[in-house]
Amino acid sequence: MTNYNWNYPTTVWVGKDRAKDLKKACDEIKTLKPLLVTDRDLIDLEFIKDLINDLDKKFKLSIFSNFSGNPNGENVDEGVEVFKNNSCDSVIAIGGGSALDVGKAIAFMSGQSRPIWDFEDIGDYWKRADEKNISPIIAIPTTAGTGSETGRASAIINAKTGIKKIIFHPKFLPSIVILDPVLTKDLSPRLTGATGMDALAHNLEAFCAPGFHPMADGIAIEGMRLIKKSLLKAVKDGSDLDARSDLLAAASMGSTAFQKGLGAIHSLSHPLNAQFNLHHGLSNAIFMPYVLSFNKENIEERIISICDYLNLSKSFDAFLEWVLELRKELNIPHKLSDVIEIKKMNLDDLSKMALDDPSTSSNPKKLTINDMKAMYEHSTVSYTHLRAHETVLDLVCRLLLEK
């Protein structure tokens, strides 16, 4: 029997206006000089200014916000410099996945002497770290997608290679997470949909990943149910705080569950996020039906086993049809050519990056570079390739199962 390691220690404060408890959270971790990390698109928003003004009354606060989506190693290095120059003792990360990833990486790298790439999620690389000097983290997500607030890794682009790397250490995990739906209610329908599909990808791939992890499986199933229940509600009515709370929980659950593993949805997405600055949730949503179809022979029984719980007909095709219909209602494009100029894509290079991605090893079906290239190619096909009386569902299955 194989041995496994399970980890679920995160403290999470959930509810309307819980962001107002930030000072209490700072007291809990005994910080005096926190570094607030948020991206340049959020720093001037009113609620961020209010939080800064509130913290300034009690703490010696420093701020770092010189980065945006899909952050790179240089962003982390600059943040570490700000952290050290101001003798900070903790990080408060507020924002979407990028801000949380950068904040966690700063808290980690502020205590290391080796470059960040030495801690890539490969084998026991994390044991190279000096874990005594990892600073405590408070994480406050403003989107419901990556779930980085409950994750033990950061996704950071190596600007020299153009490859997104997963930097891992168990103590990346924030000390306190605050899930406040009020902070997500102004998120646009487009971003609500894309980040929600990101959370769905995390829960779905975690559930389908091979291995024995019933705790992750249970969390992933409930995460999918919450997304099915509330994603469209939040897109149609951004002020629905109950729906927003469901999505925040589902995002945190997805990140918690995917310690079990991810798969080809993420393997295919990461190179495009790095090379074309494509939103991660959007790329995950585009690839989702193609990867589901590719993995069908390995995951069909598992997918059927949860259809009752998700109130779907008990078949793999019914689940896939739901994914396709959900994407349609969210205005998610069916093909990459709607968001990237295909002539700019070097499929051979992208396929190599995807195959080398750490998510590849936990895909339910063994992957080759030709498989990666086929899925990239099929995700660029137009609806005009439909045969007479063939549905989009038929098309997806035909392209991937008859390649």
Side-chain angles (χ1 to χ4, degrees), residues 37-39 42 67-68 71 91 93-104:
V37 177
T38 192
D39 65 71
L42 292 184
F67 62 95
S68 55
V91 167
I94 304 177
S98 297
L100 301 185
D101 281 354
V102 171
K104 292 193 302 180

Side-chain angles (χ1 to χ4, degrees), residues 359-391:
S359 301
T360 298
S361 62
S362 51
N363 190 71
K365 185 177 179 180
K366 185 173 175 59
L367 291 156
T368 68
I369 194 166
N370 290 332
D371 295 327
M372 295 300 194
K373 188 171 183 179
M375 283 187 277
Y376 276 131
E377 289 173 340
H378 295 157
S379 67
T380 64
V381 73
S382 167
Y383 285 122
T384 58
H385 286 71
L386 288 170
R387 294 173 177 170
H389 309 299
E390 186 176 45
T391 67

Side-chain angles (χ1 to χ4, degrees), residues 8 10 12 14 100 139 141 143-151 173 177-179 199 202-203 219 223 226-227 245-258:
Y8 290 92
T10 318
V12 185
V14 186
L100 301 185
T143 65
T146 69
S148 184
E149 65 276 2
T150 55
L173 202 61
V177 173
I178 299 177
L179 300 183
H202 293 158
N203 284 286
I219 288 172
L226 289 173
I227 291 166
S245 291
D246 283 349
L247 295 181
L248 277 171
S252 291
M253 293 163 76
S255 179
T256 302
F258 74 54

